[in-house]
Amino acid sequence: MPVVPPQPGAGRPGPPDLAASDPAPPRRTAFAEGVDRLRAAATTEPGRLRVIGALLALLVVAFGAVTAWQMTDRTAAADDVLHKSQPLTSAAADIYRSLADANTAASSGFLAGGQETAASRDRYEADIDTAAAKLVTAAANSDPGSPAAATIAKLNTLLPEYKGLVERARTYNRQGFPVGGAYLRYANEKMQHEMLPAAQDLYTKENRRLSDDYAKATPYPWAAIALGVLVLAALAWAQHRNYRRTNRVLNHGLVAATATATVVLLWLVVGHTVARAELTDSYDHGVRSLNVLHDARIASLKARGNENLTLVARGAETVKVGTEQVDAYDHDFTEDMDALGKGLAAAEKLADDKNGAEPVTSAVANMTEWKKRHTAARDQDENGNYQQALDQVIGGKGATGECFDSVDTNLAHAITHEQSEFRQAAGDGLGAMTGLPLGAAVLAVLGATGAVLGIGRRLSEYR
């Protein structure tokens, strides 16, 4: 049997089996390694100083950023109150007033028949033009697709329809056809049941948006205030620590950071407190009064329109009150006058100075005289003296129209005064916040720089 020679390397141990060896430990993440380095560095004083400097700078920058963010929102809301939502609320009220006054002027002109005055016609045309112009303004400032935009589009459709009905009523009335009265009543129904409710809805929506803007502008920025207090506490602790280790009273960088943080915090608290007080004043002594006065003026316009239509309809429209059938327009007139009285009483309570109270007091006296003259005119009409009743309503001196004009003029003066007070207070509120977002951001950067330089000065002692 042949002998096989041994092979090279036979009997020697082979290379190790890598598959059978222990697995290599997993590679650590960069974050974990960074934490370990930070922990190791924090065991030395220079490392602790670097950590403290970084945290102080971060806190100061965060304080400035949060202050700028919160005050930017509040400043924008205050600007909307002054330049957008309140003017749009007033525009919506003007739309309602113009439509209601146009309806009143149309009925007055109809009652005058062929003797319609140029002043009455001009008043009607001016009211229609004002309503159209205010609708254009409201449409330009409303959000596309919003409920307010839909209401404005509806009014823009109804306005020419109403004008057409009024013109037909006038044409037939000049020719002596009784159908003219039917057209005017139809126009009034379109105004009372479609256009004025839509205008009221627009006014309500804009008033709600105004309230929302106030709600955004007035809350205290608690997050920024709390962060500012935390920053000052951290800076005080860092300076106390520095004093204990070096026996040095002041660190210029940390003092500068403390000063900037203090300025920002005081500016924030004082500025927003002043702004909040002024905005609250603009609401309590401006918006609330304006809302009451607008409602009172609208009530007087509706009352005048129903007073005229009582003579136009001549008993053709009735409503059941209790067990009796009464003239529908005269019944509505009574309700409108009650609303006017309540509105004027509320306006008198809200008036806070002589210039605001005097026109309201005069309007109350005008309303009282209006009621007396209206009662006398109704007595004439019910006794069959239609012409005498007509003269007492649309005639010259001594007519109810004279009282209505005085009420409307005095309410217009009161609204102008309250509008001025609103602008003054709201403007002061906005001014108290102006510059705060940008100023806080700039001072925060300077404060963070001071904190870093102050800590850097201490670190230079270890080199």
Side-chain angles (χ1 to χ4, degrees), residues 294-359:
H294 282 311
D295 290 343
R297 198 177 187 191
I298 287 168
S300 72
L301 287 163
K302 291 172 68 175
R304 179 58 177 172
N306 284 315
E307 184 177 46
N308 288 343
L309 287 166
T310 301
L311 296 176
V312 172
R314 304 186 72 168
E317 301 287 340
T318 60
V319 63
K320 190 173 183 180
V321 178
T323 59
E324 298 182 12
Q325 289 290 129
V326 299
D327 187 285
Y329 295 117
D330 193 50
H331 175 263
D332 290 343
F333 169 85
T334 302
E335 291 189 341
D336 293 333
M337 292 299 279
D338 288 342
L340 173 60
K342 292 177 182 177
L344 291 176
E348 280 188 303
K349 291 180 181 179
L350 291 172
D352 57 347
D353 61 9
K354 181 180 178 181
N355 292 333
E358 280 186 347

Side-chain angles (χ1 to χ4, degrees), residues 436-455:
L436 181 52
L438 179 60
V442 172
L443 288 174
V445 171
L446 294 176
T449 303
V452 170
L453 291 176
I455 296 298

Side-chain angles (χ1 to χ4, degrees), residues 131-287:
K134 294 292 184 179
L135 284 171
V136 171
T137 301
N141 289 280
S142 62
D143 298 326
S146 64
T151 303
I152 294 168
K154 179 181 179 180
L155 284 169
N156 276 321
T157 300
L158 292 172
L159 187 58
E161 295 177 5
Y162 171 81
K163 288 179 63 180
L165 290 171
V166 171
E167 291 307 318
R168 288 188 181 183
R170 280 178 167 156
T171 300
Y172 287 125
N173 188 47
R174 283 194 297 267
Q175 296 173 358
F177 296 151
V179 72
Y183 271 106
L184 187 65
R185 289 194 298 273
Y186 185 34
N188 178 70
E189 288 177 4
K190 184 176 285 292
M191 177 65 74
Q192 297 290 345
H193 299 152
E194 297 183 60
M195 298 177 70
L196 291 182
Q200 179 68 46
D201 182 59
L202 178 63
Y203 174 70
T204 301
K205 287 184 173 71
E206 296 300 340
N207 215 8
R208 189 179 301 121
R209 182 162 68 168
L210 175 60
S211 298
D212 291 342
D213 286 337
Y214 269 107
K216 293 175 183 176
T218 53
Y220 273 107
W222 291 116
I225 292 173
L227 196 53
V229 173
L230 178 61
V231 166
L232 290 179
L235 287 168
W237 171 83
Q239 290 175 87
H240 180 67
R241 182 181 185 277
N242 182 62
Y243 171 73
R244 286 172 50 195
R245 281 165 172 73
T246 65
N247 209 30
R248 295 170 185 164
V249 177
L250 298 177
N251 178 292
H252 292 162
L254 293 179
V255 169
T258 304
T260 56
T262 302
V263 169
V264 173
L265 184 58
L266 288 176
W267 190 3
L268 172 65
V269 173
V270 175
H272 188 272
T273 299
V274 172
R276 177 188 174 93
E278 293 292 347
L279 287 171
T280 300
D281 184 66
S282 74
Y283 185 85
D284 290 341
H285 301 292
V287 173

